[in-house]
Amino acid sequence: MFCRTLCKGGGNFMTPSGQIKKYKQQLISLFVNNEKIVKLINEKDISNPEDLIYHNFFNFIRVPETIDEERNYICVKIDVPEVYTSSLFFKQIIITIYVVSHQKQMVTEFGGARPDLIAEQIEEILIDYKGIGKKKLVEISNVEKDLGDRHRCRILKFKAEDMSKSRCAM
């Protein structure tokens, strides 16, 4: 599923955009395979969690198509806002997770607002996660926003550091 391109030295090298694509796939896979998140997404007509991809789980920012769209979804955004140098080349990776719910979907039987409960599960997965970058992920923010009149959102941001160039590209 992950794309790879061979570099001249015979090792594996992935372009920065290829890495972003891989990271997004990785994160969505973690969320889709989390039973609690799938239950909180609350899609009763879908039996296979993978069918939630591009229905409730998106690797891009998705704005509700109509104000009446009564769905819950998770969107993943990845930015590389800073590349800096020391003895090696590093880049900063910012992972932003949007948890969106229609206001009619906010109340749950689990004792909390749906975006908050989904965000809690995402935090449990990603805090100290070592699958992206050279170190554990660090949460840098967790904020609540309104998306128009009928949609509520919790936005989680995590930071990672990784090599900006493959060793074979140096």
Side-chain angles (χ1 to χ4, degrees):
M1 185 177 211
F2 299 143
C3 67
R4 288 190 308 203
T5 306
L6 295 177
C7 69
K8 294 177 186 174
N12 290 327
F13 174 72
M14 189 175 295
T15 65
S17 292
Q19 285 180 315
I20 289 171
K21 177 182 143 188
K22 178 188 120 184
Y23 295 153
K24 286 180 175 185
Q25 291 170 339
Q26 195 174 333
L27 293 167
I28 289 173
S29 179
L30 289 170
F31 303 152
V32 165
N33 288 300
N34 181 288
E35 197 174 305
K36 291 178 182 178
I37 289 176
V38 169
K39 187 171 186 167
L40 284 164
I41 288 294
N42 199 32
E43 284 292 339
K44 300 191 184 342
D45 296 337
I46 294 179
S47 58
N48 182 354
E50 289 194 10
D51 292 339
L52 295 170
I53 298 171
Y54 296 119
H55 189 265
N56 301 85
F57 294 89
F58 297 91
N59 60 357
F60 53 87
I61 303 304
R62 183 185 182 282
V63 177
E65 292 177 15
T66 68
I67 60 172
D68 294 324
E69 185 178 307
E70 292 182 26
R71 247 192 291 168
N72 305 294
Y73 51 94
I74 297 172
C75 303
V76 177
K77 176 183 167 191
I78 296 187
D79 295 306
V80 182
E82 186 176 349
V83 177
Y84 46 96
T85 356
S86 61
S87 58
L88 296 171
F89 293 100
F90 289 95
K91 64 183 171 191
Q92 183 182 74
I93 301 165
I94 302 296
I95 299 163
T96 308
I97 311 293
Y98 295 80
V99 180
V100 180
S101 290
H102 188 278
Q103 66 186 11
K104 289 184 179 178
Q105 292 277 327
M106 292 292 288
V107 178
T108 71
E109 66 269 22
F110 307 110
R114 194 169 309 274
D116 298 340
L117 295 172
I118 293 172
E120 181 181 356
Q121 293 304 310
I122 290 170
E123 284 176 326
E124 285 185 20
I125 293 168
L126 295 185
I127 288 179
D128 295 333
Y129 179 68
K130 295 180 184 177
I132 296 175
K134 298 296 180 193
K135 299 178 182 178
K136 296 176 185 177
L137 292 182
V138 176
E139 186 171 17
I140 56 175
S141 69
N142 180 337
V143 297
E144 186 172 351
K145 287 186 84 172
D146 293 333
L147 294 179
D149 293 337
R150 296 190 182 154
H151 291 86
R152 309 297 170 245
C153 181
R154 179 145 302 276
I155 303 169
L156 304 161
K157 286 191 180 193
F158 297 85
K159 179 175 74 171
E161 287 186 1
D162 202 358
M163 301 292 292
S164 68
K165 292 187 178 185
S166 156
R167 293 195 185 276
C168 66
M170 293 181 173

